[in-house]
Amino acid sequence: LQESERMNLLVFEMGRSLRELDAGLRGDLSISQPMEDLMNALFENRVPSTWEALAWPSLAPLSPWLADFLDRQRQLVEWTADLNTPKVTWISGLFNPQAFLTAVMQVTARKNEWPLDRVVTTVDVTKRGPEEIEGAVREGAYIYGMYMDGARWDVNSGVIEDANMKELYPKLPVMLVKAVPVEKADSRDQYACPVYKTQFRGPTYVFTAGLKTKKPPSKWVMAGVSLLMSVVE
C-alpha cells in the first residue's frame, strides 16, 4: 500500500508539471521559474528536482531513470492485480526495501511466535535467475536486483571471489531472505556485506547480508565490497 501511494504521488507530480509546462509553451500560462527548471532538466537529460524529491535515490540520468520508473510501476501493477504473494520480488524496484525486509521478519516472527526484537534476517544466494523461480517460498521471500561492487559471486562454488577484469558490477542470482532467531544465526565463514541503494553508499544503506566466503572476511572489508541495488556505469 505504501509503495503504491508513493508511486501515485510521483505519477501525479510528473503529470501535473508536464501539463503545466505544456500550457506555458503554448502561451496559455506565463513561464514560471519551476517551469523553466523543468524545461532545462528535460533538455539536459536530468531528473527534475520536483520528481527527484518524490522518487527513490538514484544517480542515473533521465533516460534510464524513466525506464526504471516504468519497470517499478509495472511491478506494482502486477502486485495489485491479484494481491497474491509474488514468486520473486525485484527489491531494487521498491521505494522502501527496508519495509519489505521488516515485513518478512514480522510475518515469520508472528507465525512462529518469536519476539520480533530477537529476530534477524539471513540470506542464501541461489543459483537461479528470477525467471527460473517457479513459486513463492513458504517462509521468507525470493528477491533479486543486486549488483556486487569490488568482487563477484561465484555461482558454482557459492562464495565471494575476486572480481573479473572489466566486470565492474556483476549481477547476483536470486537471493532467499529469511528471518531466524538471533541465537540461530550462523555467521561462520561469512562476510557481513553492506547493501546500499546506489553507488553513493552512505545514506542509502539498506541492510547487511551475510555472504559465504572461503577467504578471510577482512579481505572483503579492505576491498570495500558491497551490494548495490542500482548502478550507473
Side-chain angles (χ1 to χ4, degrees):
L1 180 60
Q2 292 177 352
E3 291 289 324
S4 296
E5 288 175 350
R6 291 191 61 175
M7 179 60 78
N8 287 337
L9 287 173
L10 176 58
V11 170
F12 175 82
E13 173 56 26
M14 291 171 68
R16 184 205 64 78
S17 59
L18 289 172
R19 285 192 297 271
E20 184 180 66
L21 177 59
D22 180 61
L25 294 174
R26 286 188 285 104
D28 296 338
L29 293 174
S30 299
I31 297 292
S32 63
Q33 188 60 50
M35 294 161 66
E36 189 171 336
D37 292 342
L38 173 61
M39 185 166 51
N40 289 335
L42 296 177
F43 178 76
E44 296 169 3
N45 198 29
R46 290 185 290 106
V47 181
S49 58
T50 55
W51 301 4
E52 193 174 32
L54 295 172
W56 52 92
S58 176
L59 302 178
L62 181 60
S63 299
W65 185 91
L66 283 173
D68 193 29
F69 163 79
L70 293 174
D71 288 339
R72 289 166 179 262
Q73 189 180 46
R74 189 176 299 111
Q75 174 168 255
L76 289 175
V77 169
E78 291 173 356
W79 277 11
T80 54
D82 52 18
L83 299 179
N84 289 328
T85 302
K87 294 186 295 185
V88 58
T89 300
W90 178 38
I91 193 170
S92 307
L94 301 179
F95 284 90
N96 189 357
Q98 295 96 323
F100 178 85
L101 296 170
T102 300
V104 170
M105 294 172 60
Q106 290 174 333
V107 170
T108 305
R110 189 180 305 116
K111 180 179 179 180
N112 295 283
E113 298 183 349
W114 297 334
L116 186 58
D117 60 352
R118 298 294 298 169
V119 174
V120 295
T121 55
T122 64
V123 297
D124 180 21
V125 183
T126 71
K127 295 183 178 182
R128 294 178 286 177
E131 66 285 347
E132 299 176 80
I133 302 299
E134 297 178 352
V137 67
R138 289 188 177 183
E139 284 200 2
Y142 286 120
I143 60 174
Y144 74 101
M146 304 281 193
Y147 301 82
M148 184 164 278
D149 184 14
R152 66 182 173 88
W153 182 260
D154 190 302
V155 176
N156 294 324
S157 58
V159 295
I160 307 174
E161 290 290 354
D162 292 312
N164 294 325
M165 291 292 292
K166 298 183 179 180
E167 191 177 19
L168 295 179
Y169 305 107
K171 280 186 177 182
L172 262 73
V174 170
M175 302 168 67
L176 173 59
V177 58
K178 297 185 295 185
V180 298
V182 65
E183 59 271 12
K184 291 186 178 180
D186 186 6
S187 59
R188 293 173 299 174
D189 299 323
Q190 286 190 351
Y191 166 57
C193 185
V195 180
Y196 301 97
K197 294 180 182 178
T198 73
Q199 290 144 291
F200 189 63
R201 299 199 179 195
T204 68
Y205 172 80
V206 180
F207 76 111
T208 298
L211 300 180
K212 294 179 181 178
T213 176
K214 291 180 180 177
K215 299 175 181 178
S218 58
K219 172 183 173 65
W220 310 121
V221 174
M222 294 297 292
V225 173
S226 69
L227 293 181
L228 304 174
M229 291 190 169
S230 67
V231 296
V232 178
E233 298 188 28

